[in-house]
């Protein structure tokens, strides 16, 4: 238990370093936590690029040796993000908490682009709801995600123009790469996206790899569809970076849905190249 608490504290400390404030994270724990996770900071931290994301974007608490997309882009590609990132975050939470407004406030008038890494938790939460009704539940969740994403973009751009003037923000959203449901969870009882969880809750599918990869493809297709309706939204496809369908390579994965450090390095390299024409940062 002491070892687990120690690992958790290390993860939290390193995680807080990625906050956009310049104060010592150890001396101002609560303020930095709010800044990093909710974009509530003391004063504005001007930045051209904002970020709102889940555990693919920012540090996995308890795993300080894994640099996810945000620290990779900051440390290797010279990004200076204003934003809110924390594992477990859903788009539903972002919209209900108004995080798009807080990120815009934090970034200021110079903010041109906001990177979004959201959707996985909206689709994967409460897997038991899928039992016996997979297609209907997935369609309902996709519809809710689409409505929330459009609301975030429309209200975010209206707020930015009202407060600072200028053109609307360009919102970049990346799809995820394929999970690997056959991986062993790194934390006992934390097996999101794993076949072991499907079995535990009674979600019976003919093939876990086919199920998760098909759902992942459908989610990426949904993002493409939304870009046709929202000209401010830009979609980036990260599929096949870690090995391809139906499951990413085990040697590039930390668990069923997260890459390991090497995997995130490959993902960050691809993402940086694909978003460079929009952000003009990093290459």
């Amino acid at each position: 238990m002491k070892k687990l608490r120690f690992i958790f504290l290390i993860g939290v400390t390193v995680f807080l370093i990625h906050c956009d404030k310049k104060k010592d994270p150890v001396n101002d724990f609560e303020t930095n936590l709010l800044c990093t996770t909710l974009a509530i900071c003391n004063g504005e931290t001007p930045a051209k690029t904002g970020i709102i994301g889940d555990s693919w974007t920012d540090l996995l608490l308890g795993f300080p040796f894994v640099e996810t997309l945000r620290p990779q882009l900051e440390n290797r590609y010279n990004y200076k993000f204003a934003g809110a990132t924390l594992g477990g975050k859903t788009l539903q939470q972002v919209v209900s908490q108004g995080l798009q407004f807080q990120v815009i406030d934090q970034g200021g008038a110079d903010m041109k682009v906001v990177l979004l890494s959201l959707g996985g938790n909206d689709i994967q939460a409460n897997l038991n709801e899928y039992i016996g009704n997979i297609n209907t539940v997935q369609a309902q969740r996709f519809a809710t995600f689409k409505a929330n994403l459009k609301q975030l973009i429309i209200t975010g751009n209206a707020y930015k123009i009202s407060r600072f003037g200028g053109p609307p923000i360009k919102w970049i959203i990346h799809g995820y790469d394929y999970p690997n449901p056959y991986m062993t969870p790194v934390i006992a009882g934390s097996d999101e996206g794993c076949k072991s969880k499907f079995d535990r809750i009674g979600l019976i599918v003919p093939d876990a790899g086919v199920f998760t990869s098909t759902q992942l493809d459908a989610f990426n297709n949904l993002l493409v569809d939304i870009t046709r309706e929202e000209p401010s939204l830009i979609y980036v496809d990260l599929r096949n970076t870690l090995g391809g369908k139906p499951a990413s390579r085990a040697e590039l994965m930390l668990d069923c849905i997260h890459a390991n450090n090497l995997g995130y390095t490959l993902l960050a390299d691809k993402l940086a190249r694909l978003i460079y024409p929009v952000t003009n940062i990093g290459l």
Side-chain angles (χ1 to χ4, degrees), residues 6-32:
F6 176 71
I7 294 174
F8 175 79
L9 289 173
I10 291 176
V12 169
T13 301
V14 178
F15 162 74
L16 292 173
I17 292 173
H18 296 293
C19 179
D20 300 288
K21 288 174 54 57
K22 293 183 178 180
K23 287 188 177 182
D24 183 347
V26 177
N27 293 336
D28 203 355
F29 183 92
E30 182 177 356
T31 302
N32 278 277

Side-chain angles (χ1 to χ4, degrees), residues 200-216:
R200 178 160 53 83
I201 67 172
L203 177 60
I204 306 302
V205 296
D207 186 291
V210 172
F211 172 76
T212 57
S213 62
T214 300
Q215 186 177 63
L216 190 281

Side-chain angles (χ1 to χ4, degrees), residues 18-255:
H18 296 293
C19 179
D20 300 288
K21 288 174 54 57
K22 293 183 178 180
K23 287 188 177 182
D24 183 347
V26 177
N27 293 336
D28 203 355
F29 183 92
E30 182 177 356
T31 302
N32 278 277
L33 184 62
L34 289 172
C35 177
T36 307
T37 62
L38 297 178
I40 302 174
C41 304
N42 292 337
E44 294 177 356
T45 307
K48 293 183 179 180
T49 310
I51 189 168
I52 306 174
D54 55 22
S55 56
W56 258 54
T57 310
D58 214 346
L59 190 80
L60 297 170
L61 292 181
F63 295 94
F65 53 89
V66 178
E67 283 195 336
T68 48
L69 293 181
R70 178 174 182 169
Q72 291 262 3
L73 292 172
E74 289 177 333
N75 296 335
R76 299 175 55 223
Y77 293 98
N78 299 314
Y79 277 86
K80 296 180 180 178
F81 288 114
T85 47
L86 181 66
K89 194 180 297 298
T90 65
L91 177 60
Q92 181 71 58
Q93 292 170 325
V94 168
V95 172
S96 64
Q97 295 169 6
L99 295 188
Q100 69 271 39
F101 308 132
Q102 295 169 23
V103 170
I104 292 168
D105 284 339
Q106 185 186 346
D110 290 335
M111 180 171 287
K112 302 293 192 298
V113 178
V114 175
L115 176 63
L116 302 173
S117 178
L118 296 163
N121 294 307
D122 298 80
I123 305 305
Q124 294 176 353
N126 302 316
L127 278 177
N128 59 299
E129 294 179 359
Y130 283 102
I131 297 174
N133 211 14
I134 290 175
N135 292 334
T136 299
V137 172
Q138 179 173 289
Q140 292 171 343
R141 294 194 182 194
F142 280 8
T144 299
F145 180 88
K146 178 179 179 178
N148 282 329
L149 182 56
K150 293 180 70 171
Q151 181 181 349
L152 179 145
I153 293 169
I154 293 169
T155 59
N157 280 339
Y159 181 77
K160 186 269 179 182
I161 294 170
S162 174
R163 175 158 186 191
F164 298 113
I169 288 172
K170 294 179 180 178
W171 305 80
I172 301 175
I173 188 164
H174 70 75
Y176 302 91
D177 203 354
Y178 295 108
N180 187 325
Y182 305 108
M183 295 286 293
T184 301
V186 293
I187 300 177
S190 178
D191 53 354
E192 295 299 324
C194 299
K195 183 181 184 300
S196 58
K197 183 161 187 176
F198 297 170
D199 296 341
R200 178 160 53 83
I201 67 172
L203 177 60
I204 306 302
V205 296
D207 186 291
V210 172
F211 172 76
T212 57
S213 62
T214 300
Q215 186 177 63
L216 190 281
D217 283 338
F219 178 71
N220 278 271
N221 291 338
L222 172 68
L223 297 180
V224 174
D225 289 340
I226 300 173
T227 63
R228 298 189 179 106
E229 300 178 17
E230 291 298 331
S232 295
L233 182 65
I234 299 165
Y235 160 72
V236 175
D237 189 351
L238 294 182
R239 285 174 293 180
N240 301 311
T241 309
L242 303 178
K245 194 173 182 177
S248 291
R249 291 161 50 190
E251 63 267 28
L252 298 175
M253 300 292 288
L254 175 70
D255 59 17

